[in-house]
Amino acid sequence: MSLFLLILLLINPTIKKTENQNTKPVLAVLVDNSKSIPFFKETSNIEAFLQGIKDDKALNDKFDINEFTFGSKLNHLDTLSYTDNETNVSEAISAVNQLYVDKIAPIIVLTDGNQTIGNDYEFLNADQKVYPIVFGDTIQYKDLKISQLNVNKYSYIKNKFPVEVLLNYEGEETITSRFSIIKKGKTIFTKKIQFSPSDNSKTITTNLTSTKEGLQYYSASIREVEGEKNTKNNYKNFSVEVIDEQTKVLILYSVLHPDIGVLKKAIESNKQRSVDHYHINNKKFNINDYQLVILYNPNNYFNKILSKIKSENSNYFLVSGVQTDWNFINKQQLGFSKKAIKQTENYGAIFNSSFLTFLQKDIGFNQFSPLKNTYGEVVISKEHQTLLFQSINGLETKEPLLATFEENNQKSGVLFGEGLWKWRAASFLNSNSFQDFDEFIGNLVQYLASNKKRNRLEVNSESLYPANSTINLSAFYTDKNYQFDARASLEITITNKETKKVTIIPFSLFNNSYQAEIEGLVSGDYSYKVAVKGQNINKYGKFKITDYQIEEQFTNADSDKLLKLAHKTGGKLYFKDQVAQLKKDLLTNKTFYTTQKSIVKEQNLIDWKWILFIVISLFTIEWFVRKYYGKI
């Protein structure tokens, strides 16, 4: 019997069993969790509508109902807090589409339709049908608002800086209002403006004078008109940091190139900077008269200049290109070299968001035309920070395209490519202005031309934040050799200047920087101190949180966009009192059906655990019997 059962275990006979599995369609319910919902006083209506869907037995029989909330990101529904400071309808629908890509999953969106960030959902391509439910007032009221305000972050003392403001009007009447810019309670600019239904957009441009050094705060406002419901979007604050400094820049070149003119125009777009440019063979210049020397396509004629730069620790910016003599550069021991060959290559730019040497935003570098340079591997032998990485034919590399250095109180930078004139032209095409490109060159020149000694602790922060926004601060800390130190422990102490309330938040290590995320601060003026624990190293600063809340800038729900979204995806638009109609349409829609799938399973005929137990028991009994009769 034992041997028979062992053979049976080895054979292990099985049979195939077919089971049918039913899969119900998914009903994804997306609820707007942003602050605009309580602003429109729709919280109770949304919760009642949601409860009506969740408690409906017929819907639960036909669908698997999954609930989500969304603001700036999509989350599973736990509780509704209506505290999100931004709304991204497009991202929420796209995420659900991706989640249920192989399923039948109609989407219900409970929202006012007002999106503040992300791609325009009106043109969204969705595989699932979308059923928007409109919450909020759909009546069109008169509304004046400041849609956009553009201003440079920096200005120089006694210099004029431009302010551009875009004003919009919604209404059916011709009205007159007044736009003003105020500083410390004093009106420094005002203009009377008239709007009509056909002429409902105005752009105001003015130049303000920087009269005092330091961080200066301003308030722009458009006077409300009779019948205007929402006046919170009539105001916007901005700030400008005024610097008392004048910079002279020298450009030395070996060959004429359009980049030289572009660099001169971009640098001199700030009137506190002047540029002189000479051929390297011209002897009329003295580099001691300049805070920064730009070396364009250097070759062996630059030998004396480079020797003087190294001996005097002068700041410089090297722009290499097709005509650069890399054999000469490699012998100069500048901390970087290139194993160049005569073949040329086009190098695209990839922005490095972890760059912390100075504050620079991404102005669309990866969309700019590639720069041209000789082909070869770049080798950097000293500490550096990379602002732009190289990409070749769309393939990102880890080799730098634009890098900065700081050593022994000398600042320098190198750009491995020529063709900056194409970048300035592309920047103009993208934004109808040279401002972004000129600010980029200005930030680079401001850093390289500064003679200030490098600090071991650097903190990047804005001077102005919208109310209830998430404040992200980054810090860069080095050891005594100015190498990044990942062992440190940093914390920030924030003090409200009015209430004296103190908040202490630790930094987290992220890549080659320290990051802190701050939430929940009320509007007001704040000072902060970033400290390195165990070291007497601190960095001080200040910022202001305004009363501006982007989610409270709307006067009505955007039913027009939601209607277009419904039509584009094959869904239908409903209003908050049409829950019964929505249920009926979902239940009678034959495209939402349960799918059936056959699953073939193999099932063992015997239970091997019991068979094994019996086999062991039989062998045990036989052993005892044989032992008893002396057969062993």
Side-chain angles (χ1 to χ4, degrees):
M1 179 63 72
S2 300
L3 292 174
F4 170 75
L5 292 176
L6 280 174
I7 293 170
L8 189 63
L9 275 176
L10 291 173
I11 295 172
N12 191 22
T14 60
I15 60 171
K16 291 185 178 180
K17 185 180 179 181
T18 302
E19 293 183 356
N20 293 325
Q21 187 180 69
N22 294 330
T23 304
K24 293 193 292 185
V26 176
L27 182 62
V29 183
L30 278 60
V31 184
D32 191 338
N33 196 42
S34 67
K35 291 183 175 179
S36 61
I37 299 300
F39 179 70
F40 284 125
K41 300 178 181 178
E42 292 287 358
T43 55
S44 58
N45 291 329
I46 277 197
E47 289 165 11
F49 197 102
L50 180 62
Q51 199 64 41
I53 294 173
K54 290 167 61 177
D55 294 342
D56 191 277
K57 186 177 184 303
L59 283 179
N60 280 276
D61 290 340
K62 183 173 182 178
F63 297 95
D64 284 329
I65 301 176
N66 292 336
E67 300 141 6
F68 303 88
T69 62
F70 67 93
S72 57
K73 296 180 181 178
L74 183 74
N75 298 291
H76 276 286
L77 176 60
D78 182 16
T79 56
L80 288 168
S81 59
Y82 308 107
T83 56
D84 282 10
N85 298 307
E86 297 170 319
T87 308
N88 193 339
V89 180
S90 176
E91 173 65 24
I93 296 174
S94 297
V96 171
N97 260 298
Q98 189 174 2
L99 184 63
Y100 302 118
V101 66
D102 295 325
K103 296 183 179 180
I104 299 172
I107 302 171
I108 298 176
V109 185
L110 282 62
T111 181
D112 54 29
N114 292 313
Q115 179 168 288
T116 57
I117 59 170
N119 298 325
D120 195 338
Y121 66 84
E122 178 184 343
F123 307 103
L124 182 67
N125 291 319
D127 297 327
Q128 310 291 353
K129 294 181 179 180
V130 181
Y131 295 87
I133 319 299
V134 183
F135 289 86
D137 199 342
T138 56
I139 299 174
Q140 189 73 38
Y141 294 93
K142 288 181 185 177
D143 186 44
L144 276 172
K145 64 180 178 181
I146 300 176
S147 301
Q148 190 171 341
L149 191 150
N150 300 319
V151 64
N152 292 333
K153 289 184 179 180
Y154 303 99
S155 178
Y156 287 90
I157 196 163
K158 298 180 181 179
N159 188 31
K160 289 185 178 293
F161 62 91
V163 179
E164 183 183 61
V165 184
L166 181 62
L167 306 173
N168 286 101
Y169 167 68
E170 294 177 2
E172 301 298 327
E173 303 174 6
T174 299
I175 58 102
T176 300
S177 183
R178 182 170 291 278
F179 173 77
S180 303
I181 297 177
I182 299 171
K183 179 184 178 184
K184 292 184 177 180
K186 182 180 179 182
T187 301
I188 57 176
F189 174 82
T190 184
K191 185 176 182 180
K192 188 176 181 180
I193 307 169
Q194 188 176 62
F195 295 93
S196 68
S198 58
D199 186 15
N200 57 5
S201 179
K202 301 283 186 181
T203 300
I204 307 297
T205 304
T206 184
N207 291 306
L208 304 180
T209 303
S210 309
T211 57
K212 187 178 179 182
E213 186 179 357
L215 198 57
Q216 307 299 317
Y217 293 102
Y218 300 84
S219 176
S221 63
I222 179 75
R223 190 179 62 195
E224 62 186 87
V225 294
E226 185 179 354
E228 189 173 2
K229 184 180 179 181
N230 184 11
T231 59
K232 291 189 176 182
N233 54 11
N234 292 38
Y235 303 88
K236 188 166 284 192
N237 297 315
F238 63 97
S239 65
V240 175
E241 186 172 352
V242 180
I243 303 169
D244 186 9
E245 184 179 343
Q246 189 169 15
T247 304
K248 293 184 68 177
V249 179
L250 172 65
I251 301 178
L252 299 175
Y253 57 89
S254 59
V255 290
L256 286 172
H257 194 280
D259 284 356
I260 299 168
V262 162
L263 285 169
K264 179 178 173 63
K265 285 183 179 180
I267 296 170
E268 289 186 342
S269 63
N270 187 318
K271 294 182 179 179
Q272 290 295 317
R273 299 187 184 121
S274 62
V275 177
D276 293 331
H277 54 89
Y278 298 100
H279 190 275
I280 187 61
N281 291 331
N282 192 317
K283 306 300 182 183
K284 295 181 179 179
F285 58 84
N286 181 359
I287 66 169
N288 294 327
D289 296 335
Y290 301 91
Q291 285 77 47
L292 176 65
V293 180
I294 299 178
L295 311 173
Y296 193 87
N297 265 320
N299 53 28
N300 58 347
Y301 290 106
F302 285 71
N303 188 39
K304 290 184 179 180
I305 291 298
L306 276 172
S307 297
K308 192 169 186 179
I309 286 174
K310 288 190 291 183
S311 64
E312 299 185 5
N313 265 3
S314 300
N315 297 340
Y316 69 91
F317 179 46
L318 191 150
V319 181
S320 68
V322 177
Q323 303 296 325
T324 299
D325 185 348
W326 277 105
N327 290 327
F328 163 73
I329 297 297
N330 293 342
K331 294 176 183 177
Q332 299 302 310
Q333 297 182 343
L334 300 176
F336 56 88
S337 61
K338 185 171 184 178
K339 301 174 182 178
I341 61 176
K342 291 185 178 180
Q343 180 183 343
T344 61
E345 183 60 79
N346 293 323
Y347 295 97
I350 303 295
F351 178 71
N352 178 18
S353 58
S354 298
F355 180 80
L356 290 173
T357 302
F358 56 84
L359 193 62
Q360 174 60 48
K361 65 179 182 179
D362 186 1
I363 60 173
F365 290 104
N366 63 332
Q367 299 174 3
F368 290 165
S369 300
L371 303 181
K372 183 170 286 189
N373 204 344
T374 50
Y375 184 78
E377 180 186 0
V378 174
V379 178
I380 298 182
S381 58
K382 66 179 182 180
E383 184 198 354
H384 66 285
Q385 288 284 313
T386 302
L387 175 59
L388 301 174
F389 288 106
Q390 296 178 4
S391 71
I392 302 176
N393 296 325
L395 180 65
E396 182 178 349
T397 71
K398 291 301 179 183
E399 293 193 12
L401 181 67
L402 174 58
T404 60
F405 310 85
E406 189 169 346
E407 188 176 43
N408 299 326
N409 295 333
Q410 181 191 42
K411 295 179 180 178
S412 58
V414 58
L415 177 66
F416 296 95
E418 62 182 42
L420 285 172
W421 66 272
K422 297 179 182 178
W423 285 15
R424 194 169 191 257
S427 179
F428 182 84
L429 291 175
N430 291 341
S431 59
N432 202 30
S433 169
F434 294 117
Q435 180 177 331
D436 285 345
F437 178 84
D438 291 351
E439 280 188 0
F440 156 59
I441 296 296
N443 291 339
L444 182 63
V445 169
Q446 181 176 334
Y447 165 73
L448 293 176
S450 172
N451 291 320
K452 292 181 181 179
K453 185 179 179 180
R454 178 176 177 179
N455 296 316
R456 289 176 58 191
L457 177 62
E458 298 289 349
V459 178
N460 280 339
S461 67
E462 300 286 345
S463 58
L464 208 60
Y465 293 97
N468 298 313
S469 64
T470 299
I471 299 172
N472 293 300
L473 296 178
S474 57
F476 186 78
Y477 173 70
T478 64
D479 58 21
K480 292 182 179 180
N481 292 325
Y482 294 101
Q483 301 289 332
F484 176 73
D485 190 349
R487 303 164 299 171
S489 178
L490 276 66
E491 68 177 17
I492 181 170
T493 303
I494 303 170
T495 305
N496 186 307
K497 291 185 177 180
E498 183 178 353
T499 64
K500 305 303 179 183
K501 181 181 178 181
V502 175
T503 304
I504 301 176
I505 297 173
F507 279 82
S508 300
L509 182 63
F510 182 76
N511 292 334
N512 284 338
S513 68
Y514 292 89
Q515 307 282 341
E517 193 173 89
I518 305 161
E519 294 180 325
L521 296 181
V522 299
S523 301
D525 293 314
Y526 292 84
S527 62
Y528 68 81
K529 181 183 80 171
V530 177
V532 182
K533 290 185 179 180
Q535 301 280 344
N536 188 23
I537 298 176
N538 303 308
K539 191 75 174 182
Y540 299 88
K542 61 181 180 179
F543 59 83
K544 183 176 183 178
I545 298 180
T546 69
D547 294 324
Y548 175 80
Q549 294 191 19
I550 193 169
E551 286 292 332
E552 297 181 358
Q553 306 306 303
F554 306 99
T555 56
N556 56 280
D558 199 338
S559 57
D560 292 339
K561 273 193 176 184
L562 292 173
L563 179 62
K564 292 176 182 177
L565 171 66
H567 285 169
K568 187 172 178 61
T569 59
K572 185 178 177 182
L573 180 75
Y574 298 87
F575 292 91
K576 59 187 176 183
D577 57 351
Q578 293 181 300
V579 62
Q581 184 62 43
L582 171 65
K583 292 178 184 178
K584 180 181 177 182
D585 291 347
L586 289 174
L587 292 171
T588 57
N589 194 322
K590 294 182 179 180
T591 61
F592 306 143
Y593 52 84
T594 298
T595 58
Q596 191 176 78
K597 183 167 63 174
S598 297
I599 300 175
V600 178
K601 294 182 177 179
E602 285 192 351
Q603 188 172 0
N604 295 327
L605 281 174
I606 60 173
D607 191 331
W608 66 271
K609 294 179 181 178
W610 280 106
I611 295 294
L612 186 60
F613 175 75
I614 293 171
V615 168
I616 294 172
S617 299
L618 288 172
F619 276 127
T620 303
I621 292 170
E622 183 174 354
W623 186 87
F624 278 108
V625 171
R626 287 180 180 272
K627 187 73 173 175
Y628 180 78
Y629 288 104
K631 301 295 185 180
I632 298 178

